[in-house]
Amino acid sequence: MTVPRQSTTRYVDWEFAKATGSRLVPAGPSVTAAEAASVVAEVREAARRARQPVADTARMHAPGDAPGALVVDRPTWIALNADSMSALMDPVFGTLIDKQKKAPGDLAKAVGGRVTGAEAGAMLAFMAGKVLGQYDLAPDGTPQLLLVAPNLVQVERELGLDPSDFRLWVCMHEETHRVQFTAVPWLRNHMVERVRTLATDLVPDPETMQETLQRVVHQLPDAVRSGGAGITELIATPEQRERLAEVTAVMSLLEGHADVVMDEVGPQVIPSVAHIRQRFNERRKGVGAFDRVLRRLLGLEAKMRQYRDGAVFVREVTAAVGTDGFNRVWESPETLPKPAEIEKPAAWVARVHG
C-alpha cells in the first residue's frame, strides 16, 4: 500500500476520502461468514487457474515474481484506490501549485482538502459497487490484481449465472491485465506518466476558469448524451482532446485484448461462457435512467465502448497477422495503436508490418 505525500495531501485529504467512501458505499450482498470465506477462497483459486490458459492464449507470460491476485471487499478497494490516486495525482497538484502566482493559505488548503476529499470519496463509493476486478498500477507501490468479492456475488446473483463459471470468466479478463503490465516492462510507467501529463494539462488555468465553467454549464447536456465522453470532454481543448484520444486508444487496446482472451479461453474451461457473455453485455448498458446518466457524466459509457472497439481491433489484427503479429503492439510505445488505428486496424497492420 502506498503512503500519500505529506506536502500535497492537504489539497486533497485522501484519508477523508477513504472515510467518506467507506461510509457511503452500499452494503454488499447478504452472505454468512462461512459463505464469505468460501467465496474468497474460490475467487483466489479461480485467479490461480486463469494464469496458464491466459498465458497460452495471449502468448505472454507474467514473471514468476509478479504478485498474484488480492481478493478484497468494497472498503478495502476504496482504500487501495485512494492511495493509488494520491500517488498518481499528488505530483500533478504539486506542479499546478508551483504555477500559481499566489499559493493558497493553510486554512484554504485544509478546507479545500476536505471538500475535494469528500468528492473523491463519493466517486470511489460509487465505483466500489461496480468494479468486479482491476489491475491496480499503484504508481508508488506494488502493482496488484484486485478482485472485489461482494461485487462478483452480487452480479452473478442478479444475472442468474453459474457462480464458479462467472468467477473464473472474470478472472480470465483480469489475469490478462496482470500479464499485460508485468510481461511488458515499460507499459506501467508509460501509462502512469501519460495520465499524469494529461491530468496536469486538463486542469484549467485560474485565468480561464470562468470561461471553462461557462462552457461546462452550456454544454452539460452533451456530456450526458449517449455516446458522450463525459465531463472531461467539456473542459478539454482540441489539443487536449487529441492527447486524451491517445490515452483512450491504449486503454481500448488493453480492455479489448482482455475481452478477446477471456472469450477465447472460455469455451475450453467455462461451459456457460456464451450465456455469461450475453447476460454481461446486457448489464454493461446500465440498469436505470439515473445509472445511465451518471455513467455518461463520469465517462463510464466511453469505457464500455473501449471494450467493444478494442476487441474489434484485436480480432481484426489477429486475423490478418496472427497472435504473434498482433503482439508487436507490446514492443514499444511507438507500436501502440493510434486513435485512428483503433477504428481502422488495417492501418496499424500497414504501419507496423509494412
Side-chain angles (χ1 to χ4, degrees):
M1 185 179 296
T2 57
V3 179
R5 295 174 179 79
Q6 295 303 313
S7 61
T8 54
T9 48
R10 289 178 296 179
Y11 294 93
V12 177
D13 190 333
W14 295 107
E15 293 304 315
F16 191 63
K18 294 179 188 178
T20 301
S22 296
R23 185 172 65 254
L24 295 179
V25 68
S30 177
V31 295
T32 66
E35 289 172 332
S38 176
V39 169
V40 170
E42 182 173 352
V43 172
R44 188 177 291 124
E45 174 61 15
R48 187 197 65 77
R49 288 177 57 198
R51 292 183 185 178
Q52 195 59 49
V54 167
D56 292 344
T57 301
R59 297 186 190 174
M60 300 170 66
H61 297 267
D65 59 350
L70 180 64
V71 184
V72 299
D73 59 12
R74 291 172 176 176
T76 302
W77 183 90
I78 289 172
L80 291 172
N81 273 268
D83 286 340
S84 290
M85 289 176 67
S86 172
L88 180 67
M89 296 302 297
D90 283 351
V92 174
F93 300 145
T95 299
L96 295 171
I97 291 164
D98 290 341
K99 292 180 179 180
Q100 292 182 1
K101 296 178 180 179
K102 181 181 179 181
D106 289 341
L107 178 60
K109 288 187 289 188
V111 173
R114 281 295 181 104
V115 171
T116 53
E119 292 171 345
M123 180 191 69
L124 288 170
F126 173 78
M127 295 297 298
K130 306 290 184 182
V131 174
L132 300 178
Q134 168 200 6
Y135 188 77
D136 180 14
L137 294 182
D140 283 350
T142 301
Q144 192 155 31
L145 174 58
L146 307 178
L147 296 163
V148 189
N151 294 352
L152 290 168
V153 173
Q154 180 170 311
V155 171
E156 67 198 25
R157 288 180 178 178
E158 289 177 353
L159 302 185
L161 303 174
D162 179 275
S164 296
D165 282 5
F166 179 65
R167 296 166 191 175
L168 181 57
W169 186 72
V170 171
C171 286
M172 296 292 178
H173 181 102
E174 301 305 335
E175 171 62 17
T176 305
H177 287 317
R178 190 180 79 98
V179 169
Q180 291 165 345
F181 282 102
T182 57
V184 184
W186 54 266
L187 184 58
R188 174 186 174 225
N189 286 339
H190 174 77
M191 289 299 296
V192 168
E193 291 308 315
R194 292 301 296 272
V195 171
R196 278 178 175 161
T197 300
L198 182 61
T200 303
D201 290 345
L202 284 174
V203 175
D205 185 277
E207 297 180 358
T208 62
M209 180 67 76
Q210 186 63 35
E211 177 186 340
T212 301
L213 290 175
Q214 290 176 350
R215 187 167 67 249
V216 169
V217 171
H218 289 128
Q219 299 180 12
L220 188 59
D222 293 336
V224 296
R225 76 183 190 279
S226 179
I231 197 72
T232 303
E233 188 176 83
L234 301 185
I235 65 175
T237 65
E239 294 77 13
Q240 291 166 346
R241 289 177 186 174
E242 289 182 11
R243 291 192 288 273
L244 180 61
E246 293 172 355
V247 173
T248 301
V250 179
M251 295 184 68
S252 293
L253 167 71
L254 299 175
E255 297 294 356
H257 182 232
D259 255 17
V260 169
V261 170
M262 75 192 295
D263 283 347
E264 288 188 4
V265 173
Q268 306 169 35
V269 293
I270 304 172
S272 62
V273 65
H275 176 64
I276 292 174
R277 169 57 72 189
Q278 176 191 1
R279 299 289 288 135
F280 201 69
N281 284 346
E282 294 172 0
R283 175 184 182 268
R284 280 179 173 171
K285 298 175 183 177
V287 291
F290 176 75
D291 185 71
R292 286 195 295 271
V293 169
L294 191 55
R295 284 170 184 254
R296 291 168 185 171
L297 187 62
L298 295 176
L300 298 181
E301 188 174 85
K303 184 173 178 62
M304 297 302 102
R305 294 199 305 275
Q306 289 173 13
Y307 290 92
R308 182 189 66 232
D309 299 343
V312 171
F313 174 85
V314 173
R315 290 191 175 100
E316 291 193 13
V317 169
T318 302
V321 295
T323 299
D324 292 334
F326 163 78
N327 279 342
R328 289 196 60 186
V329 296
W330 314 116
E331 287 183 356
S332 72
E334 288 70 34
T335 56
L336 291 171
K338 302 180 184 300
E341 292 171 343
I342 286 290
E343 298 178 2
K344 297 181 179 179
W348 180 89
V349 173
R351 178 171 67 87
V352 174
H353 289 269

Short mmCIF file of all heavy atoms in Angstrom, two decimals, residues 264-319:
data_model
loop_
_atom_site.label_atom_id
_atom_site.label_comp_id
_atom_site.label_asym_id
_atom_site.label_seq_id
_atom_site.Cartn_x
_atom_site.Cartn_y
_atom_site.Cartn_z
N GLU A 264 -11.83 -16.29 -25.74
CA GLU A 264 -11.17 -17.40 -26.43
C GLU A 264 -10.86 -18.54 -25.49
O GLU A 264 -10.96 -19.71 -25.85
CB GLU A 264 -9.90 -16.90 -27.12
CG GLU A 264 -10.16 -16.02 -28.34
CD GLU A 264 -8.90 -15.71 -29.11
OE1 GLU A 264 -7.83 -16.24 -28.74
OE2 GLU A 264 -8.98 -14.94 -30.08
N VAL A 265 -10.48 -18.21 -24.29
CA VAL A 265 -10.20 -19.25 -23.29
C VAL A 265 -11.49 -19.89 -22.82
O VAL A 265 -11.55 -21.10 -22.58
CB VAL A 265 -9.42 -18.65 -22.10
CG1 VAL A 265 -9.29 -19.69 -20.99
CG2 VAL A 265 -8.05 -18.17 -22.53
N GLY A 266 -12.53 -19.08 -22.69
CA GLY A 266 -13.77 -19.52 -22.07
C GLY A 266 -14.31 -20.87 -22.47
O GLY A 266 -14.54 -21.73 -21.61
N PRO A 267 -14.54 -21.12 -23.77
CA PRO A 267 -15.17 -22.39 -24.16
C PRO A 267 -14.40 -23.63 -23.71
O PRO A 267 -14.99 -24.70 -23.54
CB PRO A 267 -15.21 -22.29 -25.69
CG PRO A 267 -15.21 -20.83 -25.98
CD PRO A 267 -14.35 -20.23 -24.91
N GLN A 268 -13.11 -23.49 -23.51
CA GLN A 268 -12.30 -24.64 -23.11
C GLN A 268 -12.53 -25.04 -21.66
O GLN A 268 -12.43 -26.22 -21.31
CB GLN A 268 -10.81 -24.32 -23.31
CG GLN A 268 -10.46 -23.84 -24.71
CD GLN A 268 -9.04 -23.29 -24.76
OE1 GLN A 268 -8.14 -23.78 -24.08
NE2 GLN A 268 -8.84 -22.25 -25.56
N VAL A 269 -12.82 -24.06 -20.80
CA VAL A 269 -12.88 -24.35 -19.37
C VAL A 269 -14.14 -23.85 -18.69
O VAL A 269 -14.37 -24.14 -17.51
CB VAL A 269 -11.64 -23.75 -18.66
CG1 VAL A 269 -10.37 -24.45 -19.11
CG2 VAL A 269 -11.55 -22.25 -18.90
N ILE A 270 -14.97 -23.07 -19.40
CA ILE A 270 -16.16 -22.48 -18.80
C ILE A 270 -17.38 -22.88 -19.62
O ILE A 270 -17.67 -22.28 -20.67
CB ILE A 270 -16.05 -20.94 -18.73
CG1 ILE A 270 -14.78 -20.54 -17.98
CG2 ILE A 270 -17.28 -20.34 -18.05
CD1 ILE A 270 -14.49 -19.05 -18.01
N PRO A 271 -18.12 -23.88 -19.21
CA PRO A 271 -19.24 -24.40 -20.01
C PRO A 271 -20.30 -23.36 -20.36
O PRO A 271 -20.85 -23.38 -21.47
CB PRO A 271 -19.83 -25.50 -19.10
CG PRO A 271 -18.69 -25.91 -18.21
CD PRO A 271 -17.89 -24.67 -17.98
N SER A 272 -20.58 -22.42 -19.45
CA SER A 272 -21.68 -21.47 -19.70
C SER A 272 -21.19 -20.13 -20.22
O SER A 272 -21.87 -19.11 -20.06
CB SER A 272 -22.49 -21.27 -18.41
OG SER A 272 -21.69 -20.72 -17.38
N VAL A 273 -20.02 -20.09 -20.88
CA VAL A 273 -19.43 -18.81 -21.26
C VAL A 273 -20.32 -18.01 -22.21
O VAL A 273 -20.41 -16.78 -22.12
CB VAL A 273 -18.03 -19.02 -21.87
CG1 VAL A 273 -18.09 -19.79 -23.17
CG2 VAL A 273 -17.33 -17.67 -22.08
N ALA A 274 -21.00 -18.66 -23.14
CA ALA A 274 -21.85 -17.94 -24.09
C ALA A 274 -23.00 -17.25 -23.36
O ALA A 274 -23.34 -16.09 -23.66
CB ALA A 274 -22.39 -18.90 -25.15
N HIS A 275 -23.58 -17.94 -22.40
CA HIS A 275 -24.67 -17.34 -21.62
C HIS A 275 -24.15 -16.18 -20.77
O HIS A 275 -24.81 -15.13 -20.66
CB HIS A 275 -25.28 -18.41 -20.71
CG HIS A 275 -26.35 -17.89 -19.79
ND1 HIS A 275 -27.54 -17.38 -20.25
CD2 HIS A 275 -26.40 -17.81 -18.43
CE1 HIS A 275 -28.29 -17.00 -19.22
NE2 HIS A 275 -27.62 -17.25 -18.12
N ILE A 276 -22.97 -16.34 -20.20
CA ILE A 276 -22.38 -15.28 -19.39
C ILE A 276 -22.16 -14.03 -20.24
O ILE A 276 -22.50 -12.92 -19.84
CB ILE A 276 -21.05 -15.74 -18.76
CG1 ILE A 276 -21.30 -16.83 -17.72
CG2 ILE A 276 -20.33 -14.56 -18.12
CD1 ILE A 276 -20.03 -17.45 -17.16
N ARG A 277 -21.57 -14.19 -21.43
CA ARG A 277 -21.29 -13.06 -22.30
C ARG A 277 -22.58 -12.34 -22.68
O ARG A 277 -22.63 -11.09 -22.66
CB ARG A 277 -20.53 -13.53 -23.53
CG ARG A 277 -20.40 -12.49 -24.65
CD ARG A 277 -19.75 -11.22 -24.17
NE ARG A 277 -18.33 -11.37 -23.92
CZ ARG A 277 -17.58 -10.43 -23.33
NH1 ARG A 277 -18.14 -9.30 -22.92
NH2 ARG A 277 -16.30 -10.63 -23.13
N GLN A 278 -23.61 -13.08 -23.01
CA GLN A 278 -24.88 -12.46 -23.40
C GLN A 278 -25.44 -11.63 -22.25
O GLN A 278 -25.82 -10.47 -22.44
CB GLN A 278 -25.88 -13.53 -23.81
CG GLN A 278 -27.26 -12.97 -24.14
CD GLN A 278 -28.32 -14.06 -24.28
OE1 GLN A 278 -28.04 -15.23 -24.11
NE2 GLN A 278 -29.53 -13.65 -24.57
N ARG A 279 -25.49 -12.22 -21.06
CA ARG A 279 -26.07 -11.52 -19.92
C ARG A 279 -25.20 -10.34 -19.49
O ARG A 279 -25.70 -9.29 -19.10
CB ARG A 279 -26.24 -12.50 -18.74
CG ARG A 279 -27.17 -13.65 -19.02
CD ARG A 279 -28.62 -13.21 -19.10
NE ARG A 279 -29.12 -12.85 -17.78
CZ ARG A 279 -29.84 -11.76 -17.50
NH1 ARG A 279 -30.12 -10.89 -18.45
NH2 ARG A 279 -30.28 -11.54 -16.28
N PHE A 280 -23.89 -10.51 -19.59
CA PHE A 280 -22.97 -9.46 -19.15
C PHE A 280 -23.01 -8.27 -20.09
O PHE A 280 -22.92 -7.12 -19.65
CB PHE A 280 -21.55 -10.01 -19.06
CG PHE A 280 -20.65 -9.20 -18.17
CD1 PHE A 280 -20.86 -9.18 -16.80
CD2 PHE A 280 -19.60 -8.47 -18.69
CE1 PHE A 280 -20.03 -8.43 -15.97
CE2 PHE A 280 -18.77 -7.72 -17.87
CZ PHE A 280 -18.99 -7.70 -16.50
N ASN A 281 -23.14 -8.50 -21.38
CA ASN A 281 -23.25 -7.40 -22.33
C ASN A 281 -24.50 -6.58 -22.06
O ASN A 281 -24.51 -5.35 -22.23
CB ASN A 281 -23.27 -7.93 -23.77
CG ASN A 281 -21.89 -8.34 -24.24
OD1 ASN A 281 -20.89 -8.01 -23.63
ND2 ASN A 281 -21.85 -9.08 -25.33
N GLU A 282 -25.57 -7.24 -21.66
CA GLU A 282 -26.80 -6.51 -21.30
C GLU A 282 -26.55 -5.64 -20.07
O GLU A 282 -27.02 -4.50 -19.99
CB GLU A 282 -27.93 -7.51 -21.04
CG GLU A 282 -28.36 -8.29 -22.27
CD GLU A 282 -29.34 -9.39 -21.94
OE1 GLU A 282 -29.68 -9.53 -20.73
OE2 GLU A 282 -29.76 -10.12 -22.85
N ARG A 283 -25.79 -6.16 -19.11
CA ARG A 283 -25.50 -5.41 -17.89
C ARG A 283 -24.70 -4.16 -18.20
O ARG A 283 -24.90 -3.11 -17.58
CB ARG A 283 -24.72 -6.29 -16.91
CG ARG A 283 -24.27 -5.56 -15.64
CD ARG A 283 -23.43 -6.47 -14.76
NE ARG A 283 -23.02 -5.80 -13.53
CZ ARG A 283 -21.90 -5.12 -13.39
NH1 ARG A 283 -21.06 -5.02 -14.42
NH2 ARG A 283 -21.59 -4.54 -12.24
N ARG A 284 -23.79 -4.23 -19.14
CA ARG A 284 -22.93 -3.08 -19.46
C ARG A 284 -23.70 -1.89 -19.99
O ARG A 284 -23.20 -0.78 -20.02
CB ARG A 284 -21.87 -3.50 -20.48
CG ARG A 284 -20.70 -4.25 -19.87
CD ARG A 284 -19.69 -4.64 -20.94
NE ARG A 284 -18.49 -5.21 -20.32
CZ ARG A 284 -17.53 -5.80 -20.99
NH1 ARG A 284 -17.60 -5.89 -22.31
NH2 ARG A 284 -16.47 -6.29 -20.37
N LYS A 285 -24.95 -2.10 -20.39
CA LYS A 285 -25.75 -1.00 -20.90
C LYS A 285 -26.29 -0.12 -19.78
O LYS A 285 -26.80 0.96 -20.03
CB LYS A 285 -26.92 -1.55 -21.73
CG LYS A 285 -26.48 -2.34 -22.96
CD LYS A 285 -27.68 -2.95 -23.67
CE LYS A 285 -27.25 -3.81 -24.84
NZ LYS A 285 -28.41 -4.46 -25.51
N GLY A 286 -26.18 -0.59 -18.53
CA GLY A 286 -26.74 0.17 -17.41
C GLY A 286 -28.15 -0.29 -17.12
O GLY A 286 -28.86 -0.79 -17.98
N VAL A 287 -28.58 -0.10 -15.89
CA VAL A 287 -29.87 -0.66 -15.49
C VAL A 287 -31.00 0.36 -15.42
O VAL A 287 -32.14 0.03 -15.70
CB VAL A 287 -29.72 -1.35 -14.11
CG1 VAL A 287 -28.87 -2.59 -14.23
CG2 VAL A 287 -29.10 -0.40 -13.08
N GLY A 288 -30.72 1.58 -15.05
CA GLY A 288 -31.78 2.56 -14.92
C GLY A 288 -31.38 3.89 -15.51
O GLY A 288 -30.23 4.11 -15.87
N ALA A 289 -32.35 4.81 -15.58
CA ALA A 289 -32.09 6.12 -16.19
C ALA A 289 -31.02 6.87 -15.42
O ALA A 289 -30.09 7.44 -16.01
CB ALA A 289 -33.39 6.92 -16.24
N PHE A 290 -31.11 6.91 -14.09
CA PHE A 290 -30.12 7.63 -13.30
C PHE A 290 -28.74 7.01 -13.46
O PHE A 290 -27.73 7.71 -13.60
CB PHE A 290 -30.52 7.64 -11.83
CG PHE A 290 -29.51 8.29 -10.93
CD1 PHE A 290 -29.38 9.68 -10.89
CD2 PHE A 290 -28.67 7.52 -10.14
CE1 PHE A 290 -28.42 10.27 -10.07
CE2 PHE A 290 -27.72 8.10 -9.32
CZ PHE A 290 -27.60 9.48 -9.28
N ASP A 291 -28.70 5.70 -13.43
CA ASP A 291 -27.43 4.99 -13.57
C ASP A 291 -26.79 5.31 -14.92
O ASP A 291 -25.58 5.55 -15.00
CB ASP A 291 -27.65 3.48 -13.43
CG ASP A 291 -26.34 2.71 -13.45
OD1 ASP A 291 -25.60 2.79 -12.47
OD2 ASP A 291 -26.07 2.05 -14.47
N ARG A 292 -27.59 5.34 -15.96
CA ARG A 292 -27.05 5.64 -17.29
C ARG A 292 -26.52 7.06 -17.38
O ARG A 292 -25.46 7.31 -17.95
CB ARG A 292 -28.12 5.39 -18.36
CG ARG A 292 -28.40 3.92 -18.62
CD ARG A 292 -29.18 3.75 -19.92
NE ARG A 292 -30.51 4.35 -19.83
CZ ARG A 292 -31.58 3.70 -19.39
NH1 ARG A 292 -31.48 2.44 -18.99
NH2 ARG A 292 -32.76 4.31 -19.35
N VAL A 293 -27.26 8.02 -16.80
CA VAL A 293 -26.82 9.42 -16.82
C VAL A 293 -25.51 9.57 -16.06
O VAL A 293 -24.58 10.24 -16.51
CB VAL A 293 -27.90 10.34 -16.23
CG1 VAL A 293 -27.34 11.74 -16.00
CG2 VAL A 293 -29.10 10.41 -17.16
N LEU A 294 -25.42 8.94 -14.88
CA LEU A 294 -24.21 9.06 -14.07
C LEU A 294 -23.03 8.42 -14.78
O LEU A 294 -21.91 8.95 -14.76
CB LEU A 294 -24.44 8.41 -12.70
CG LEU A 294 -23.36 8.67 -11.64
CD1 LEU A 294 -23.16 10.17 -11.46
CD2 LEU A 294 -23.75 8.02 -10.32
N ARG A 295 -23.23 7.29 -15.42
CA ARG A 295 -22.16 6.65 -16.16
C ARG A 295 -21.67 7.57 -17.28
O ARG A 295 -20.47 7.67 -17.53
CB ARG A 295 -22.65 5.33 -16.77
CG ARG A 295 -22.78 4.19 -15.76
CD ARG A 295 -23.50 3.00 -16.39
NE ARG A 295 -23.73 1.94 -15.43
CZ ARG A 295 -23.04 0.80 -15.41
NH1 ARG A 295 -22.09 0.58 -16.28
NH2 ARG A 295 -23.31 -0.12 -14.51
N ARG A 296 -22.59 8.22 -17.96
CA ARG A 296 -22.19 9.11 -19.05
C ARG A 296 -21.44 10.32 -18.53
O ARG A 296 -20.45 10.76 -19.11
CB ARG A 296 -23.43 9.54 -19.84
CG ARG A 296 -24.05 8.41 -20.64
CD ARG A 296 -25.42 8.79 -21.18
NE ARG A 296 -26.05 7.65 -21.85
CZ ARG A 296 -27.30 7.63 -22.27
NH1 ARG A 296 -28.08 8.70 -22.09
NH2 ARG A 296 -27.80 6.56 -22.87
N LEU A 297 -21.91 10.88 -17.41
CA LEU A 297 -21.27 12.06 -16.85
C LEU A 297 -19.84 11.74 -16.42
O LEU A 297 -18.92 12.55 -16.60
CB LEU A 297 -22.08 12.58 -15.66
CG LEU A 297 -21.62 13.91 -15.05
CD1 LEU A 297 -21.72 15.02 -16.08
CD2 LEU A 297 -22.44 14.24 -13.82
N LEU A 298 -19.62 10.56 -15.85
CA LEU A 298 -18.30 10.16 -15.40
C LEU A 298 -17.44 9.59 -16.53
O LEU A 298 -16.28 9.26 -16.31
CB LEU A 298 -18.42 9.11 -14.28
CG LEU A 298 -19.06 9.59 -12.98
CD1 LEU A 298 -19.20 8.42 -12.01
CD2 LEU A 298 -18.26 10.71 -12.35
N GLY A 299 -18.02 9.46 -17.71
CA GLY A 299 -17.26 8.91 -18.82
C GLY A 299 -17.22 7.39 -18.84
O GLY A 299 -16.44 6.79 -19.57
N LEU A 300 -18.07 6.74 -18.03
CA LEU A 300 -18.03 5.28 -17.95
C LEU A 300 -18.63 4.63 -19.20
O LEU A 300 -18.28 3.50 -19.55
CB LEU A 300 -18.77 4.78 -16.70
CG LEU A 300 -18.18 5.25 -15.37
CD1 LEU A 300 -18.98 4.68 -14.22
CD2 LEU A 300 -16.72 4.86 -15.26
N GLU A 301 -19.54 5.35 -19.86
CA GLU A 301 -20.08 4.80 -21.10
C GLU A 301 -18.99 4.74 -22.16
O GLU A 301 -18.93 3.81 -22.97
CB GLU A 301 -21.25 5.64 -21.59
CG GLU A 301 -21.96 5.02 -22.78
CD GLU A 301 -23.21 5.79 -23.20
OE1 GLU A 301 -23.08 6.75 -23.97
OE2 GLU A 301 -24.30 5.41 -22.74
N ALA A 302 -18.10 5.74 -22.14
CA ALA A 302 -16.97 5.71 -23.06
C ALA A 302 -16.09 4.50 -22.78
O ALA A 302 -15.53 3.89 -23.69
CB ALA A 302 -16.16 7.00 -22.94
N LYS A 303 -15.97 4.14 -21.49
CA LYS A 303 -15.18 2.96 -21.15
C LYS A 303 -15.82 1.69 -21.70
O LYS A 303 -15.11 0.78 -22.14
CB LYS A 303 -15.02 2.84 -19.63
CG LYS A 303 -14.14 1.67 -19.22
CD LYS A 303 -13.88 1.69 -17.73
CE LYS A 303 -13.03 0.50 -17.31
NZ LYS A 303 -11.71 0.49 -17.95
N MET A 304 -17.14 1.65 -21.72
CA MET A 304 -17.81 0.49 -22.29
C MET A 304 -17.49 0.35 -23.77
O MET A 304 -17.33 -0.74 -24.30
CB MET A 304 -19.32 0.60 -22.09
CG MET A 304 -19.79 0.61 -20.64
SD MET A 304 -19.29 -0.85 -19.69
CE MET A 304 -17.90 -0.18 -18.75
N ARG A 305 -17.36 1.49 -24.45
CA ARG A 305 -17.01 1.45 -25.87
C ARG A 305 -15.57 0.97 -26.06
O ARG A 305 -15.23 0.41 -27.10
CB ARG A 305 -17.18 2.83 -26.51
CG ARG A 305 -18.61 3.31 -26.57
CD ARG A 305 -18.79 4.42 -27.62
NE ARG A 305 -17.88 5.53 -27.37
CZ ARG A 305 -18.14 6.54 -26.53
NH1 ARG A 305 -19.26 6.54 -25.83
NH2 ARG A 305 -17.29 7.52 -26.38
N GLN A 306 -14.73 1.18 -25.04
CA GLN A 306 -13.35 0.71 -25.14
C GLN A 306 -13.30 -0.80 -25.30
O GLN A 306 -12.49 -1.33 -26.06
CB GLN A 306 -12.57 1.13 -23.90
CG GLN A 306 -12.28 2.61 -23.81
CD GLN A 306 -11.64 2.98 -22.50
OE1 GLN A 306 -11.20 2.10 -21.74
NE2 GLN A 306 -11.60 4.26 -22.20
N TYR A 307 -14.16 -1.51 -24.57
CA TYR A 307 -14.20 -2.96 -24.69
C TYR A 307 -14.55 -3.35 -26.12
O TYR A 307 -13.91 -4.21 -26.72
CB TYR A 307 -15.24 -3.55 -23.73
CG TYR A 307 -14.89 -3.46 -22.26
CD1 TYR A 307 -15.30 -2.39 -21.49
CD2 TYR A 307 -14.15 -4.46 -21.65
CE1 TYR A 307 -15.00 -2.31 -20.14
CE2 TYR A 307 -13.85 -4.40 -20.28
CZ TYR A 307 -14.28 -3.32 -19.55
OH TYR A 307 -13.98 -3.25 -18.22
N ARG A 308 -15.58 -2.71 -26.65
CA ARG A 308 -16.06 -3.08 -27.98
C ARG A 308 -15.05 -2.72 -29.07
O ARG A 308 -14.68 -3.56 -29.89
CB ARG A 308 -17.39 -2.36 -28.25
CG ARG A 308 -18.01 -2.71 -29.60
CD ARG A 308 -19.20 -1.81 -29.90
NE ARG A 308 -18.80 -0.43 -30.08
CZ ARG A 308 -19.35 0.60 -29.43
NH1 ARG A 308 -20.30 0.39 -28.55
NH2 ARG A 308 -18.94 1.84 -29.65
N ASP A 309 -14.58 -1.47 -29.06
CA ASP A 309 -13.66 -1.03 -30.11
C ASP A 309 -12.33 -1.76 -30.03
O ASP A 309 -11.75 -2.15 -31.04
CB ASP A 309 -13.44 0.48 -30.01
CG ASP A 309 -14.71 1.28 -30.20
OD1 ASP A 309 -15.70 0.70 -30.73
OD2 ASP A 309 -14.74 2.46 -29.83
N GLY A 310 -11.83 -1.93 -28.81
CA GLY A 310 -10.56 -2.62 -28.64
C GLY A 310 -10.64 -4.07 -29.05
O GLY A 310 -9.70 -4.61 -29.65
N ALA A 311 -11.75 -4.72 -28.74
CA ALA A 311 -11.90 -6.13 -29.12
C ALA A 311 -11.95 -6.29 -30.63
O ALA A 311 -11.37 -7.23 -31.18
CB ALA A 311 -13.17 -6.70 -28.48
N VAL A 312 -12.63 -5.37 -31.32
CA VAL A 312 -12.66 -5.42 -32.78
C VAL A 312 -11.26 -5.26 -33.34
O VAL A 312 -10.84 -5.98 -34.26
CB VAL A 312 -13.59 -4.33 -33.34
CG1 VAL A 312 -13.46 -4.23 -34.85
CG2 VAL A 312 -15.04 -4.63 -32.97
N PHE A 313 -10.49 -4.33 -32.79
CA PHE A 313 -9.11 -4.12 -33.24
C PHE A 313 -8.29 -5.39 -33.08
O PHE A 313 -7.60 -5.83 -34.00
CB PHE A 313 -8.47 -2.97 -32.45
CG PHE A 313 -7.01 -2.77 -32.73
CD1 PHE A 313 -6.60 -1.99 -33.80
CD2 PHE A 313 -6.04 -3.37 -31.93
CE1 PHE A 313 -5.24 -1.81 -34.07
CE2 PHE A 313 -4.69 -3.20 -32.18
CZ PHE A 313 -4.29 -2.42 -33.26
N VAL A 314 -8.36 -5.98 -31.89
CA VAL A 314 -7.55 -7.18 -31.61
C VAL A 314 -7.94 -8.33 -32.55
O VAL A 314 -7.06 -9.00 -33.11
CB VAL A 314 -7.73 -7.61 -30.14
CG1 VAL A 314 -7.02 -8.95 -29.89
CG2 VAL A 314 -7.17 -6.54 -29.21
N ARG A 315 -9.22 -8.54 -32.74
CA ARG A 315 -9.66 -9.66 -33.58
C ARG A 315 -9.25 -9.45 -35.04
O ARG A 315 -8.80 -10.39 -35.70
CB ARG A 315 -11.18 -9.83 -33.47
CG ARG A 315 -11.62 -10.37 -32.11
CD ARG A 315 -13.09 -10.78 -32.09
NE ARG A 315 -13.44 -11.41 -30.81
CZ ARG A 315 -14.06 -10.79 -29.82
NH1 ARG A 315 -14.43 -9.53 -29.97
NH2 ARG A 315 -14.34 -11.42 -28.70
N GLU A 316 -9.40 -8.22 -35.55
CA GLU A 316 -9.07 -7.99 -36.96
C GLU A 316 -7.56 -8.06 -37.19
O GLU A 316 -7.11 -8.59 -38.21
CB GLU A 316 -9.63 -6.64 -37.40
CG GLU A 316 -11.16 -6.63 -37.48
CD GLU A 316 -11.70 -5.42 -38.21
OE1 GLU A 316 -10.91 -4.70 -38.89
OE2 GLU A 316 -12.93 -5.18 -38.12
N VAL A 317 -6.77 -7.53 -36.27
CA VAL A 317 -5.32 -7.61 -36.42
C VAL A 317 -4.85 -9.06 -36.32
O VAL A 317 -4.02 -9.51 -37.12
CB VAL A 317 -4.61 -6.75 -35.36
CG1 VAL A 317 -3.11 -7.04 -35.35
CG2 VAL A 317 -4.85 -5.27 -35.64
N THR A 318 -5.40 -9.80 -35.37
CA THR A 318 -5.01 -11.20 -35.21
C THR A 318 -5.40 -12.02 -36.45
O THR A 318 -4.64 -12.89 -36.89
CB THR A 318 -5.67 -11.79 -33.95
OG1 THR A 318 -5.28 -11.02 -32.81
CG2 THR A 318 -5.23 -13.24 -33.75
N ALA A 319 -6.55 -11.73 -37.02
CA ALA A 319 -6.97 -12.43 -38.24
C ALA A 319 -6.02 -12.14 -39.38
O ALA A 319 -5.78 -13.00 -40.25
CB ALA A 319 -8.39 -12.03 -38.62
#
